[in-house]
PDB file of all heavy atoms in Angstrom:
ATOM      1  N   ARG D 654     -28.713  -2.300  20.856  1.00  0.00           N
ATOM      2  CA  ARG D 654     -29.359  -0.981  20.853  1.00  0.00           C
ATOM      3  C   ARG D 654     -28.332   0.091  20.500  1.00  0.00           C
ATOM      4  O   ARG D 654     -27.243  -0.195  20.022  1.00  0.00           O
ATOM      5  CB  ARG D 654     -29.963  -0.678  22.220  1.00  0.00           C
ATOM      6  CG  ARG D 654     -31.057  -1.634  22.691  1.00  0.00           C
ATOM      7  CD  ARG D 654     -31.475  -1.264  24.100  1.00  0.00           C
ATOM      8  NE  ARG D 654     -32.507  -2.122  24.645  1.00  0.00           N
ATOM      9  CZ  ARG D 654     -33.717  -1.717  24.996  1.00  0.00           C
ATOM     10  NH1 ARG D 654     -34.077  -0.467  24.824  1.00  0.00           N
ATOM     11  NH2 ARG D 654     -34.586  -2.563  25.528  1.00  0.00           N
ATOM     12  N   GLY D 655     -28.693   1.326  20.817  1.00  0.00           N
ATOM     13  CA  GLY D 655     -27.809   2.450  20.594  1.00  0.00           C
ATOM     14  C   GLY D 655     -26.998   2.782  21.835  1.00  0.00           C
ATOM     15  O   GLY D 655     -26.740   1.940  22.688  1.00  0.00           O
ATOM     16  N   ILE D 656     -26.617   4.076  21.928  1.00  0.00           N
ATOM     17  CA  ILE D 656     -25.858   4.582  23.064  1.00  0.00           C
ATOM     18  C   ILE D 656     -26.838   5.083  24.126  1.00  0.00           C
ATOM     19  O   ILE D 656     -27.801   5.792  23.820  1.00  0.00           O
ATOM     20  CB  ILE D 656     -24.919   5.726  22.636  1.00  0.00           C
ATOM     21  CG1 ILE D 656     -23.985   5.259  21.520  1.00  0.00           C
ATOM     22  CG2 ILE D 656     -24.144   6.256  23.826  1.00  0.00           C
ATOM     23  CD1 ILE D 656     -23.052   4.149  21.913  1.00  0.00           C
ATOM     24  N   TYR D 657     -26.553   4.714  25.388  1.00  0.00           N
ATOM     25  CA  TYR D 657     -27.430   5.096  26.504  1.00  0.00           C
ATOM     26  C   TYR D 657     -26.595   5.671  27.641  1.00  0.00           C
ATOM     27  O   TYR D 657     -25.406   5.388  27.766  1.00  0.00           O
ATOM     28  CB  TYR D 657     -28.200   3.873  27.028  1.00  0.00           C
ATOM     29  CG  TYR D 657     -29.357   3.447  26.153  1.00  0.00           C
ATOM     30  CD1 TYR D 657     -29.134   2.895  24.892  1.00  0.00           C
ATOM     31  CD2 TYR D 657     -30.670   3.595  26.576  1.00  0.00           C
ATOM     32  CE1 TYR D 657     -30.182   2.504  24.081  1.00  0.00           C
ATOM     33  CE2 TYR D 657     -31.729   3.200  25.766  1.00  0.00           C
ATOM     34  CZ  TYR D 657     -31.477   2.667  24.523  1.00  0.00           C
ATOM     35  OH  TYR D 657     -32.530   2.288  23.727  1.00  0.00           O
ATOM     36  N   TYR D 658     -27.255   6.485  28.464  1.00  0.00           N
ATOM     37  CA  TYR D 658     -26.630   7.056  29.667  1.00  0.00           C
ATOM     38  C   TYR D 658     -27.284   6.455  30.910  1.00  0.00           C
ATOM     39  O   TYR D 658     -28.500   6.259  30.940  1.00  0.00           O
ATOM     40  CB  TYR D 658     -26.835   8.574  29.723  1.00  0.00           C
ATOM     41  CG  TYR D 658     -26.467   9.321  28.473  1.00  0.00           C
ATOM     42  CD1 TYR D 658     -27.429  10.077  27.794  1.00  0.00           C
ATOM     43  CD2 TYR D 658     -25.168   9.297  27.968  1.00  0.00           C
ATOM     44  CE1 TYR D 658     -27.109  10.794  26.651  1.00  0.00           C
ATOM     45  CE2 TYR D 658     -24.847  10.004  26.817  1.00  0.00           C
ATOM     46  CZ  TYR D 658     -25.807  10.752  26.166  1.00  0.00           C
ATOM     47  OH  TYR D 658     -25.485  11.456  25.024  1.00  0.00           O
ATOM     48  N   ARG D 659     -26.453   6.234  31.936  1.00  0.00           N
ATOM     49  CA  ARG D 659     -27.004   5.765  33.220  1.00  0.00           C
ATOM     50  C   ARG D 659     -27.048   6.934  34.200  1.00  0.00           C
ATOM     51  O   ARG D 659     -26.014   7.550  34.503  1.00  0.00           O
ATOM     52  CB  ARG D 659     -26.169   4.629  33.817  1.00  0.00           C
ATOM     53  CG  ARG D 659     -26.874   3.993  35.010  1.00  0.00           C
ATOM     54  CD  ARG D 659     -26.116   2.799  35.541  1.00  0.00           C
ATOM     55  NE  ARG D 659     -24.987   3.192  36.367  1.00  0.00           N
ATOM     56  CZ  ARG D 659     -24.456   2.435  37.330  1.00  0.00           C
ATOM     57  NH1 ARG D 659     -24.953   1.235  37.567  1.00  0.00           N
ATOM     58  NH2 ARG D 659     -23.416   2.843  38.006  1.00  0.00           N
ATOM     59  N   ILE D 660     -28.232   7.245  34.686  1.00  0.00           N
ATOM     60  CA  ILE D 660     -28.415   8.342  35.635  1.00  0.00           C
ATOM     61  C   ILE D 660     -27.891   7.906  36.998  1.00  0.00           C
ATOM     62  O   ILE D 660     -28.165   6.795  37.462  1.00  0.00           O
ATOM     63  CB  ILE D 660     -29.897   8.747  35.701  1.00  0.00           C
ATOM     64  CG1 ILE D 660     -30.359   9.223  34.316  1.00  0.00           C
ATOM     65  CG2 ILE D 660     -30.127   9.834  36.748  1.00  0.00           C
ATOM     66  CD1 ILE D 660     -31.849   9.432  34.194  1.00  0.00           C
ATOM     67  N   SER D 661     -27.106   8.777  37.641  1.00  0.00           N
ATOM     68  CA  SER D 661     -26.369   8.362  38.836  1.00  0.00           C
ATOM     69  C   SER D 661     -26.846   8.999  40.136  1.00  0.00           C
ATOM     70  O   SER D 661     -26.327   8.674  41.211  1.00  0.00           O
ATOM     71  CB  SER D 661     -24.876   8.674  38.654  1.00  0.00           C
ATOM     72  OG  SER D 661     -24.671  10.049  38.398  1.00  0.00           O
ATOM     73  N   ALA D 662     -27.832   9.885  40.083  1.00  0.00           N
ATOM     74  CA  ALA D 662     -28.338  10.492  41.325  1.00  0.00           C
ATOM     75  C   ALA D 662     -29.735  11.040  41.080  1.00  0.00           C
ATOM     76  O   ALA D 662     -30.144  11.261  39.936  1.00  0.00           O
ATOM     77  CB  ALA D 662     -27.397  11.594  41.811  1.00  0.00           C
ATOM     78  N   GLY D 663     -30.468  11.252  42.161  1.00  0.00           N
ATOM     79  CA  GLY D 663     -31.802  11.819  42.057  1.00  0.00           C
ATOM     80  C   GLY D 663     -32.880  10.753  41.952  1.00  0.00           C
ATOM     81  O   GLY D 663     -32.650   9.565  42.193  1.00  0.00           O
ATOM     82  N   ALA D 664     -34.053  11.173  41.553  1.00  0.00           N
ATOM     83  CA  ALA D 664     -35.224  10.295  41.541  1.00  0.00           C
ATOM     84  C   ALA D 664     -35.092   9.142  40.554  1.00  0.00           C
ATOM     85  O   ALA D 664     -35.767   8.115  40.706  1.00  0.00           O
ATOM     86  CB  ALA D 664     -36.474  11.119  41.201  1.00  0.00           C
ATOM     87  N   TYR D 665     -34.195   9.291  39.545  1.00  0.00           N
ATOM     88  CA  TYR D 665     -34.104   8.269  38.497  1.00  0.00           C
ATOM     89  C   TYR D 665     -32.750   7.544  38.531  1.00  0.00           C
ATOM     90  O   TYR D 665     -32.305   7.004  37.513  1.00  0.00           O
ATOM     91  CB  TYR D 665     -34.344   8.913  37.129  1.00  0.00           C
ATOM     92  CG  TYR D 665     -35.647   9.665  37.087  1.00  0.00           C
ATOM     93  CD1 TYR D 665     -35.663  11.051  36.983  1.00  0.00           C
ATOM     94  CD2 TYR D 665     -36.862   8.998  37.203  1.00  0.00           C
ATOM     95  CE1 TYR D 665     -36.860  11.755  36.973  1.00  0.00           C
ATOM     96  CE2 TYR D 665     -38.067   9.686  37.196  1.00  0.00           C
ATOM     97  CZ  TYR D 665     -38.061  11.061  37.079  1.00  0.00           C
ATOM     98  OH  TYR D 665     -39.248  11.760  37.080  1.00  0.00           O
ATOM     99  N   THR D 666     -32.152   7.481  39.706  1.00  0.00           N
ATOM    100  CA  THR D 666     -30.876   6.791  39.852  1.00  0.00           C
ATOM    101  C   THR D 666     -30.967   5.350  39.344  1.00  0.00           C
ATOM    102  O   THR D 666     -31.890   4.609  39.696  1.00  0.00           O
ATOM    103  CB  THR D 666     -30.446   6.776  41.332  1.00  0.00           C
ATOM    104  OG1 THR D 666     -30.312   8.119  41.790  1.00  0.00           O
ATOM    105  CG2 THR D 666     -29.124   6.046  41.512  1.00  0.00           C
ATOM    106  N   GLY D 667     -29.993   4.971  38.503  1.00  0.00           N
ATOM    107  CA  GLY D 667     -29.952   3.610  37.978  1.00  0.00           C
ATOM    108  C   GLY D 667     -30.737   3.391  36.705  1.00  0.00           C
ATOM    109  O   GLY D 667     -30.618   2.330  36.074  1.00  0.00           O
ATOM    110  N   TRP D 668     -31.545   4.358  36.315  1.00  0.00           N
ATOM    111  CA  TRP D 668     -32.283   4.249  35.057  1.00  0.00           C
ATOM    112  C   TRP D 668     -31.403   4.718  33.899  1.00  0.00           C
ATOM    113  O   TRP D 668     -30.505   5.539  34.065  1.00  0.00           O
ATOM    114  CB  TRP D 668     -33.553   5.098  35.112  1.00  0.00           C
ATOM    115  CG  TRP D 668     -34.614   4.529  36.011  1.00  0.00           C
ATOM    116  CD1 TRP D 668     -34.700   4.686  37.365  1.00  0.00           C
ATOM    117  CD2 TRP D 668     -35.715   3.712  35.625  1.00  0.00           C
ATOM    118  NE1 TRP D 668     -35.796   4.013  37.851  1.00  0.00           N
ATOM    119  CE2 TRP D 668     -36.446   3.403  36.803  1.00  0.00           C
ATOM    120  CE3 TRP D 668     -36.170   3.205  34.408  1.00  0.00           C
ATOM    121  CZ2 TRP D 668     -37.599   2.615  36.790  1.00  0.00           C
ATOM    122  CZ3 TRP D 668     -37.321   2.428  34.386  1.00  0.00           C
ATOM    123  CH2 TRP D 668     -38.020   2.139  35.567  1.00  0.00           C
ATOM    124  N   TRP D 669     -31.696   4.187  32.714  1.00  0.00           N
ATOM    125  CA  TRP D 669     -30.939   4.524  31.504  1.00  0.00           C
ATOM    126  C   TRP D 669     -31.828   5.308  30.548  1.00  0.00           C
ATOM    127  O   TRP D 669     -33.036   5.079  30.480  1.00  0.00           O
ATOM    128  CB  TRP D 669     -30.467   3.261  30.796  1.00  0.00           C
ATOM    129  CG  TRP D 669     -29.507   2.415  31.581  1.00  0.00           C
ATOM    130  CD1 TRP D 669     -29.795   1.563  32.604  1.00  0.00           C
ATOM    131  CD2 TRP D 669     -28.100   2.329  31.388  1.00  0.00           C
ATOM    132  NE1 TRP D 669     -28.664   0.946  33.062  1.00  0.00           N
ATOM    133  CE2 TRP D 669     -27.592   1.395  32.323  1.00  0.00           C
ATOM    134  CE3 TRP D 669     -27.205   2.936  30.509  1.00  0.00           C
ATOM    135  CZ2 TRP D 669     -26.249   1.066  32.413  1.00  0.00           C
ATOM    136  CZ3 TRP D 669     -25.854   2.610  30.588  1.00  0.00           C
ATOM    137  CH2 TRP D 669     -25.395   1.687  31.528  1.00  0.00           C
ATOM    138  N   VAL D 670     -31.211   6.225  29.810  1.00  0.00           N
ATOM    139  CA  VAL D 670     -31.924   6.978  28.790  1.00  0.00           C
ATOM    140  C   VAL D 670     -31.077   6.993  27.525  1.00  0.00           C
ATOM    141  O   VAL D 670     -29.851   7.063  27.570  1.00  0.00           O
ATOM    142  CB  VAL D 670     -32.237   8.423  29.253  1.00  0.00           C
ATOM    143  CG1 VAL D 670     -30.963   9.222  29.498  1.00  0.00           C
ATOM    144  CG2 VAL D 670     -33.135   9.138  28.235  1.00  0.00           C
ATOM    145  N   GLY D 671     -31.727   6.893  26.379  1.00  0.00           N
ATOM    146  CA  GLY D 671     -31.012   6.863  25.114  1.00  0.00           C
ATOM    147  C   GLY D 671     -30.431   8.207  24.731  1.00  0.00           C
ATOM    148  O   GLY D 671     -30.967   9.267  25.085  1.00  0.00           O
TER     149      GLY D 671
END
Side-chain angles (χ1 to χ4, degrees):
R654 298 176 180 243
I656 304 297
Y657 284 69
Y658 310 120
R659 190 175 79 154
I660 299 170
S661 58
Y665 305 112
T666 300
W668 288 83
W669 297 78
V670 63

